[in-house]
Amino acid sequence: MRISEGIHSQAEIPEGCSVLVVGAGMSGLGTALELSERGARDIVVVDPGPFTGFEHRSRTPNTVPLPDTPPWWRSASPHYAELPGVTGPLGGRSRCWHGVLLPVSRRVLERHWPNDTADRLLAEGPGSYRAVTEELLDWRRTCGDARPDRAPDDPREELRALWPDLSLEPVPQAGWSVDGPDGRLVWAYSPLMAWAHRGLARHAGLELPRVVSGPRAISVLVEAGSVRGVRLATPDGGIREVRADVVVLAAGTLENTRLCAQALAEAGDAVTRWPGLNDHVTHGYAVPLPSALAERWTRSDHRFLWSDHEEELNANLFMEVHAAGLAEPVLDLWWMAQQEEPFRDEVRFDPPDRTASGEDTAWAGQVTASFSPADEEEIRRRDEITGKLLEALDVGIAEERGLVDFDPAAKAALATGTAHHYVSRLGTADHEAGTVPLGRRLDFGGRSPSVGNLFVTGPATFPTAGAANPSLTILALAAHTAEAITGG
Ligand SMILES: Cc1cc2nc3c(=O)[nH]c(=O)nc-3n(C[C@H](O)[C@H](O)[C@H](O)COP(=O)(O)OP(=O)(O)OC[C@H]3O[C@@H](n4cnc5c(N)ncnc54)[C@H](O)[C@@H]3O)c2cc1C
């Protein structure tokens, strides 16, 4: 049964295809579109997520139940409790991201990334930061800037008077925030919009890849050192094999790591420990805002600001005012920082005994993550800076120890009239990355040197993430992967 134009249910899983993309999130659909544009045909994208519409989901309630977290994943700490990315609606996290577009810094790229990838990201052509950013800001202008609640106010002059040394820029966003009755809503670009004819201008009229909703990839089929296809579990409890000449893993960092580990084992290279996992460290203060500033800032078109501290702190400072659904406006003043290297977090697998079961099943994966002493130290150092900013705002600080996310801190701040500190758990920034890095486990475009015609795409492939939010890089790398597959 066809769900909607170009989106299919499990009943339409094909016997075989030319390119099979595993995962229909930002990286999978992004890569599939880039492949189509380069003339590749017979592309199929599979994802267990139910189809819940084409548009950005923001905070609107989900009326369609999401698939359960697959039983093979667990976390060994309070971090990664939700196991980000292993389950979601069709479209993955591109259906709810906030559209922040920041590049990995030149310093990080030049030090840690392979030269060919860094060069392309920093150049001008397809797959460069410049090209992807311009295109997404164009998309925003076409779709978003006509919104009725726009106000050209800019609070930065008042803010400069408070914090003269801080450079504050509006956050470059492939989307925009609006106030809804229950809180702030964010609407942002998703590659899925191409299927609703509301995507990027260059995708208009493109022959779109086939997207199949329902099946979850269990393993990559490998024969004589090359991919042969993928084994899928279907929602009705069945198992299906799909032949494919090329397999692209785009199932989020955790599932990409598992599928890649299993494929390597099939090719004779069993690796059970995958180090390098890292997420951004997010911490800040929820601050009840003095009313004069609140009024102007809340009405402003520049409600979401950032300050670049990559060079000295490997972090970005963000500020956003939340007013909708709250008794008083609250300022969220938070850092997003890279975890300190060397990364100690890892994904570990327990391969099942195949001689006992006789079946090719999913490996059980465990995520182990914690802040290192260096992370704790950096959190303290950055908090001292934000503490000084709060002094300028003349608000008291109620120290909060332990792991508290923004929402509870915001509620506490409103209740007590004091700024509340929060440190979010790892895995909640949804920026988990780094287990299958380019230049070490993968060649240009995410090609595996160990398994023929196997590619990995998405943040799992980032050698080091820096402080930047990942999606701009995800979309740029989608073009590199398509280029590597089509031989461009
Ligand atoms: C609320 C929120 C706000 C965010 N804001 C920003 C932002 O402003 N800027 C930014 O850069 N980033 C942001 N992010 C992060 C960003 O959305 C993600 O990093 C990015 O979407 C990840 O893309 P992906 O394709 O790697 O993974 P996902 O989007 O998670 O897609 C993976 C897909 O694979 C599917 N899948 C999983 N396992 C399997 C399997 N075994 N077989 C088949 N399919 C499978 C999943 O169902 C999912 O659809 C935000 C995230 C969230 C949650």
Side-chain angles (χ1 to χ4, degrees), residues 368-401:
T368 306
S370 62
F371 291 129
S372 66
D375 289 321
E376 304 272 8
E377 180 51 37
E378 289 305 308
I379 290 173
R380 260 191 301 277
R381 195 152 82 99
R382 289 186 295 262
D383 279 345
E384 271 175 31
I385 299 171
T386 18
K388 292 207 181 89
L389 300 179
L390 295 185
E391 272 171 34
L393 277 176
D394 202 20
V395 287
I397 299 175
E399 279 298 326
E400 186 72 52
R401 281 286 147 225

Coordinates of all heavy atoms in Angstrom, one line a residue, residues 368-401:
T368 N 28.9 3.2 26.8 CA 29.5 3.6 28.1 C 30.0 5.0 28.0 O 30.8 5.2 27.1 CB 30.7 2.6 28.5 OG1 30.2 1.3 28.5 CG2 31.2 2.9 29.9
A369 N 29.5 5.9 28.8 CA 29.8 7.3 28.6 C 29.9 8.0 30.0 O 29.1 7.7 30.9 CB 28.8 8.0 27.7
S370 N 30.8 8.9 30.1 CA 30.9 9.7 31.3 C 31.7 11.0 31.1 O 32.4 11.1 30.1 CB 31.6 9.0 32.5 OG 32.9 8.7 32.1
F371 N 31.5 12.0 31.9 CA 32.4 13.2 31.8 C 33.7 12.8 32.4 O 33.8 12.2 33.4 CB 31.8 14.4 32.6 CG 30.5 14.9 32.0 CD1 29.4 15.1 32.8 CD2 30.5 15.3 30.7 CE1 28.2 15.6 32.3 CE2 29.3 15.9 30.2 CZ 28.2 16.0 31.0
S372 N 34.8 13.2 31.7 CA 36.1 13.0 32.2 C 36.5 14.1 33.2 O 35.8 15.1 33.2 CB 37.2 13.0 31.1 OG 37.2 14.3 30.6
P373 N 37.5 13.9 34.1 CA 37.9 15.1 35.0 C 38.2 16.3 34.1 O 37.8 17.4 34.6 CB 39.2 14.5 35.6 CG 39.0 13.0 35.6 CD 38.3 12.7 34.3
A374 N 38.7 16.2 32.9 CA 39.0 17.4 32.1 C 37.7 18.0 31.7 O 37.5 19.3 31.6 CB 39.8 17.0 30.9
D375 N 36.6 17.2 31.4 CA 35.3 17.8 31.0 C 34.7 18.6 32.2 O 34.2 19.7 32.1 CB 34.3 16.7 30.7 CG 34.6 16.1 29.3 OD1 35.0 16.8 28.4 OD2 34.5 14.8 29.2
E376 N 34.9 18.0 33.4 CA 34.3 18.6 34.6 C 35.0 20.0 34.8 O 34.4 21.0 35.2 CB 34.6 17.8 35.9 CG 34.0 16.4 35.8 CD 32.6 16.3 36.3 OE1 32.0 17.3 36.6 OE2 32.0 15.2 36.4
E377 N 36.3 20.0 34.6 CA 37.1 21.2 34.8 C 36.7 22.3 33.8 O 36.5 23.4 34.2 CB 38.6 20.8 34.6 CG 39.6 22.0 34.8 CD 39.4 22.8 36.1 OE1 39.1 22.2 37.1 OE2 39.5 24.0 36.0
E378 N 36.5 21.9 32.6 CA 36.1 22.8 31.5 C 34.7 23.3 31.8 O 34.4 24.5 31.6 CB 36.1 22.2 30.1 CG 37.6 22.0 29.6 CD 38.4 23.3 29.6 OE1 37.9 24.3 29.1 OE2 39.5 23.2 30.2
I379 N 33.8 22.5 32.3 CA 32.4 22.9 32.7 C 32.6 24.1 33.8 O 31.9 25.1 33.7 CB 31.6 21.8 33.2 CG1 31.2 20.8 32.1 CG2 30.3 22.3 33.9 CD1 30.5 19.5 32.5
R380 N 33.4 23.8 34.8 CA 33.6 24.8 35.8 C 34.1 26.1 35.2 O 33.7 27.2 35.6 CB 34.6 24.3 36.9 CG 33.9 23.8 38.1 CD 34.9 23.5 39.2 NE 36.0 22.6 38.9 CZ 35.8 21.3 38.9 NH1 34.7 20.7 39.3 NH2 36.8 20.5 38.5
R381 N 35.1 26.0 34.3 CA 35.8 27.2 33.7 C 34.7 28.0 32.9 O 34.7 29.2 33.1 CB 36.9 26.7 32.8 CG 37.9 27.8 32.4 CD 39.2 27.2 32.1 NE 39.3 26.7 30.8 CZ 39.9 27.3 29.8 NH1 40.4 28.5 29.9 NH2 40.0 26.7 28.6
R382 N 33.9 27.3 32.1 CA 32.9 28.0 31.3 C 31.9 28.6 32.2 O 31.4 29.7 32.0 CB 32.3 27.1 30.3 CG 33.3 26.7 29.2 CD 32.7 25.9 28.1 NE 32.2 24.6 28.5 CZ 32.9 23.5 28.4 NH1 34.0 23.5 27.7 NH2 32.3 22.4 28.8
D383 N 31.5 27.9 33.3 CA 30.5 28.4 34.2 C 30.9 29.7 34.9 O 30.1 30.6 35.2 CB 30.1 27.4 35.3 CG 29.1 26.4 34.8 OD1 28.5 26.6 33.7 OD2 29.0 25.3 35.5
E384 N 32.2 29.8 35.1 CA 32.7 31.1 35.7 C 32.4 32.3 34.8 O 32.1 33.4 35.2 CB 34.2 31.0 35.9 CG 34.6 30.4 37.3 CD 36.1 30.2 37.4 OE1 36.9 31.0 36.8 OE2 36.4 29.3 38.1
I385 N 32.6 32.0 33.5 CA 32.4 33.1 32.5 C 30.9 33.5 32.5 O 30.5 34.6 32.6 CB 32.8 32.7 31.1 CG1 34.3 32.4 31.1 CG2 32.4 33.7 30.0 CD1 34.8 31.7 29.8
T386 N 30.0 32.4 32.4 CA 28.6 32.7 32.4 C 28.2 33.4 33.7 O 27.3 34.2 33.8 CB 27.7 31.5 32.1 OG1 28.5 30.3 32.3 CG2 27.2 31.5 30.7
G387 N 28.8 33.0 34.8 CA 28.5 33.6 36.1 C 28.7 35.1 36.1 O 27.9 35.9 36.6
K388 N 29.8 35.5 35.4 CA 30.1 37.0 35.3 C 29.0 37.7 34.5 O 28.6 38.8 34.8 CB 31.4 37.2 34.6 CG 32.6 36.7 35.5 CD 33.9 37.5 35.2 CE 35.0 37.0 36.1 NZ 35.7 35.9 35.6
L389 N 28.5 37.0 33.4 CA 27.4 37.6 32.6 C 26.2 37.8 33.5 O 25.5 38.8 33.4 CB 27.1 36.7 31.4 CG 28.3 36.5 30.4 CD1 27.8 35.6 29.3 CD2 28.8 37.8 29.8
L390 N 25.9 36.8 34.3 CA 24.7 36.9 35.2 C 24.9 38.0 36.2 O 23.9 38.7 36.5 CB 24.5 35.5 35.9 CG 24.2 34.4 35.0 CD1 23.9 33.1 35.8 CD2 23.0 34.7 34.0
E391 N 26.1 38.2 36.7 CA 26.3 39.4 37.6 C 25.9 40.7 36.9 O 25.2 41.5 37.5 CB 27.8 39.5 38.0 CG 28.2 38.7 39.2 CD 29.7 38.7 39.3 OE1 30.3 39.7 39.0 OE2 30.2 37.6 39.8
A392 N 26.2 40.8 35.6 CA 25.9 42.0 34.8 C 24.3 42.1 34.7 O 23.8 43.2 34.7 CB 26.5 42.0 33.5
L393 N 23.7 41.0 34.7 CA 22.2 41.0 34.6 C 21.6 41.3 36.0 O 20.4 41.4 36.1 CB 21.7 39.7 34.0 CG 21.6 39.5 32.5 CD1 21.2 38.1 32.2 CD2 20.7 40.5 31.9
D394 N 22.4 41.2 37.0 CA 22.0 41.4 38.4 C 20.9 40.4 38.8 O 19.9 40.7 39.4 CB 21.5 42.8 38.5 CG 21.5 43.3 40.0 OD1 22.3 42.6 40.8 OD2 20.8 44.2 40.4
V395 N 21.1 39.1 38.5 CA 20.2 38.1 39.0 C 21.0 37.1 40.0 O 22.2 36.9 39.7 CB 19.6 37.2 37.9 CG1 18.6 37.9 37.1 CG2 20.7 36.6 37.0
G396 N 20.4 36.7 41.0 CA 21.0 35.7 41.9 C 21.1 34.4 41.3 O 20.4 34.0 40.3
I397 N 22.1 33.6 41.8 CA 22.3 32.2 41.2 C 22.0 31.2 42.3 O 22.5 31.2 43.4 CB 23.7 32.0 40.7 CG1 24.1 33.1 39.7 CG2 23.9 30.6 40.2 CD1 25.5 33.0 39.2
A398 N 21.1 30.3 42.0 CA 20.9 29.1 42.8 C 21.6 28.0 42.2 O 21.3 27.5 41.1 CB 19.4 28.7 42.9
E399 N 22.7 27.5 42.8 CA 23.5 26.5 42.2 C 22.8 25.1 42.2 O 22.1 24.8 43.2 CB 24.8 26.3 43.0 CG 25.9 27.3 42.6 CD 26.3 27.3 41.2 OE1 26.3 26.1 40.6 OE2 26.6 28.3 40.6
E400 N 22.8 24.5 41.1 CA 22.2 23.2 41.0 C 23.3 22.2 40.7 O 24.0 22.3 39.7 CB 21.2 23.2 39.8 CG 20.3 22.0 39.6 CD 19.3 21.9 40.7 OE1 18.6 22.8 41.0 OE2 19.3 20.8 41.3
R401 N 23.4 21.2 41.4 CA 24.4 20.2 41.2 C 23.8 18.9 40.6 O 22.6 18.6 40.9 CB 25.2 19.8 42.5 CG 26.2 20.9 42.8 CD 27.4 20.8 41.9 NE 28.0 22.1 41.6 CZ 28.4 22.5 40.4 NH1 28.2 21.8 39.4 NH2 28.9 23.7 40.3

